[in-house]
Amino acid sequence: MAGGKIRKEKTPRGSSGSSNHYQGGIQFHKSKGQHILKNPLLVDSIVQKAGINSTDIILEIGPGTGNLTKKLLEAGKSVIAVELDPRMVLELQRRFQGTPFSNRLKVIQGDVLKCDLPYFDICVANIPYQISSPLTFKLLNHKPSFRCAIIMFQREFAMRLVAQPSDSLYCRLSVNTQLLARVSHLLKVGKNNFRPPPKVDSSVVRIEPRKPPPVVNFKEWDGLVRICFTRKNKTLGSIFRQKRILSIMEKNYKTLQALGVPQAADVAVDMAVLGDSGEMEEESEDEDEEMDMEDGETKSDFKEKVLGVLKEGEFELKRSSKLAQEDFMHLLSLFNKVGIHFS
């Protein structure tokens, strides 16, 4: 372990002492997502699977005390380490001071979600799991694009990232991430590989941004996907008959018609839209009756336009949980063709 032997914590009277752990005199806090990799074989495996070239500039997020940092410095040209905790920053600087690596390590102290990230070829990260979604989409929005990112996620979040149509965990997060990147699962990591151990197992995922990026207005794409996954196991015909959804779509339709402003293609990711934790929530099914059109209600012209789009593309009886990227792209194009946009 970095910085010498592990120092045992003096446990206050009446405390179990289970939430605090030390390495090199530094106390780790579970509440801040500080879980340091302690298995050297796992560290080696992550570096190997990253496919690092000797000319690569590597961005490391959450380096902690530098166990993984040392291996990255050995493999690549240089490492830019972003660390929020000033104690960890000092430990990193102390660990590599006076070594051949000192001139190839740059440490940035700050919140990675608020920092302007420099150029890098590869990102390697063992992150606090509470920032998984916003960090993923911040990276995918980074310009110039990088080659790949190797990131440790909570296992369920990772499996949502790689889920395919018909998988139980397939969701809006799956669709949005896979639109912008190729995502693959590399390793399952048990909780006992960390100090202190987290409550859940983890997985290492490889994310490769698509080059060139898809030509689509991302806010509009996400607007459609968000609606489709409000009830992913309901038919699209049922979803798009809901009064609340029809009302929102019609208001947007009339606003755009009044402004006469077409929506231009834009692949920039809006983290205010995607950087939340809502993707991890299970959908509820108890509001359908309240939101459906009432029996005998007069069908509006706009509703007929929406249902006409679904019928034209044969989407009325299909379910979001089984639709692929190409299906959502086709559905969006059909809506756009009749002047219906999403935001």
Side-chain angles (χ1 to χ4, degrees):
M1 296 297 291
K5 296 181 180 178
I6 301 169
R7 189 180 74 190
K8 292 184 179 180
E9 179 191 4
K10 294 180 180 179
T11 306
R13 184 175 299 175
S15 170
S16 65
S18 62
S19 61
N20 299 321
H21 296 255
Y22 287 88
Q23 179 180 323
I26 297 178
Q27 182 180 0
F28 301 138
H29 301 284
K30 283 186 177 182
S31 61
K32 297 180 180 179
Q34 293 179 341
H35 301 278
I36 307 301
L37 277 171
K38 67 176 185 178
N39 184 341
L41 295 178
L42 179 59
V43 171
D44 289 341
S45 181
I46 290 172
V47 173
Q48 180 182 9
K49 290 180 179 297
I52 299 170
N53 299 322
S54 60
T55 56
D56 282 339
I57 298 172
I58 305 163
L59 175 70
E60 185 183 10
I61 300 169
T65 55
N67 293 346
L68 180 57
T69 311
K70 182 176 183 294
K71 296 294 184 178
L72 296 176
L73 285 165
E74 292 172 353
K77 178 181 178 181
S78 62
V79 172
I80 302 164
V82 182
E83 174 59 60
L84 179 61
D85 191 333
R87 302 170 308 146
M88 301 293 182
V89 171
L90 289 174
E91 173 64 12
L92 276 176
Q93 294 170 339
R94 185 202 66 77
R95 179 172 185 175
F96 294 105
Q97 186 177 13
T99 72
F101 299 130
S102 59
N103 293 329
R104 297 198 281 119
L105 173 64
K106 178 182 179 181
V107 183
I108 299 174
Q109 182 181 338
D111 184 341
V112 68
L113 297 180
K114 299 177 182 177
C115 290
D116 291 328
L117 299 177
Y119 172 86
F120 61 94
D121 298 297
I122 287 184
C123 173
V124 180
N126 174 23
I127 62 172
Y129 293 152
Q130 59 265 32
I131 69 168
S132 295
S133 183
L135 176 63
T136 299
F137 289 102
K138 175 166 184 170
L139 290 175
L140 289 175
N141 198 34
H142 181 73
K143 298 292 182 289
S145 185
F146 52 94
R147 187 164 79 250
C148 72
I150 310 297
I151 306 180
M152 184 91 68
F153 291 115
Q154 178 180 335
R155 179 162 174 78
E156 183 178 349
F157 184 91
M159 300 317 293
R160 288 176 184 267
L161 285 179
V162 302
Q164 297 297 308
S166 297
D167 291 350
S168 61
L169 291 177
Y170 188 61
C171 61
R172 173 174 158 240
L173 175 66
S174 318
V175 175
N176 281 338
T177 306
Q178 292 171 32
L179 173 75
L180 300 172
R182 295 177 181 86
V183 190
S184 54
H185 182 270
L186 298 181
L187 291 169
K188 181 178 179 180
V189 182
K191 62 188 76 173
N192 292 327
N193 288 285
F194 299 89
R195 180 177 289 113
K199 294 181 179 179
V200 296
D201 287 334
S202 305
S203 281
V204 179
V205 170
R206 182 184 184 92
I207 300 174
E208 298 177 71
R210 295 190 185 276
K211 299 176 183 179
V215 181
V216 62
N217 181 318
F218 197 90
K219 289 183 181 180
E220 180 169 16
W221 166 274
D222 183 61
L224 171 63
V225 174
R226 181 191 292 268
I227 289 174
C228 291
F229 277 93
T230 54
R231 302 286 186 276
K232 73 175 184 179
N233 292 315
K234 295 290 185 181
T235 65
L236 292 181
S238 173
I239 291 171
F240 282 94
R241 281 184 171 88
Q242 294 172 13
K243 289 189 290 184
R244 179 178 63 89
I245 288 174
L246 283 170
S247 175
I248 293 171
M249 290 176 61
E250 186 169 13
K251 182 178 179 180
N252 192 49
Y253 174 75
K254 290 179 177 178
T255 300
L256 288 176
Q257 278 202 321
L259 294 174
V261 180
Q263 297 195 359
D266 180 8
V267 297
V269 180
D270 184 354
M271 287 187 293
V273 173
L274 293 167
D276 54 28
S277 59
E279 295 90 347
M280 296 295 289
E281 296 175 0
E282 295 296 327
E283 20 169 68
S284 61
E285 300 284 355
D286 58 354
E287 298 180 2
D288 290 334
E289 290 187 10
E290 176 184 335
M291 297 168 69
D292 285 346
M293 298 293 288
E294 296 176 1
D295 292 339
E297 185 172 343
T298 304
K299 294 183 179 179
S300 68
D301 291 340
F302 182 76
K303 179 184 176 183
E304 288 300 297
K305 185 186 290 286
V306 170
L307 297 182
V309 167
L310 298 180
K311 290 176 182 177
E312 179 183 351
E314 299 182 348
F315 284 103
E316 195 169 18
L317 298 179
K318 293 183 178 179
R319 304 170 196 275
S320 303
S321 59
K322 300 184 184 301
L323 296 184
Q325 296 282 328
E326 297 78 10
D327 298 318
F328 288 109
M329 194 71 75
H330 181 43
L331 179 59
L332 181 59
S333 70
L334 291 176
F335 274 120
N336 288 173
K337 188 170 70 173
V338 297
I340 297 176
H341 293 270
F342 301 83
S343 61

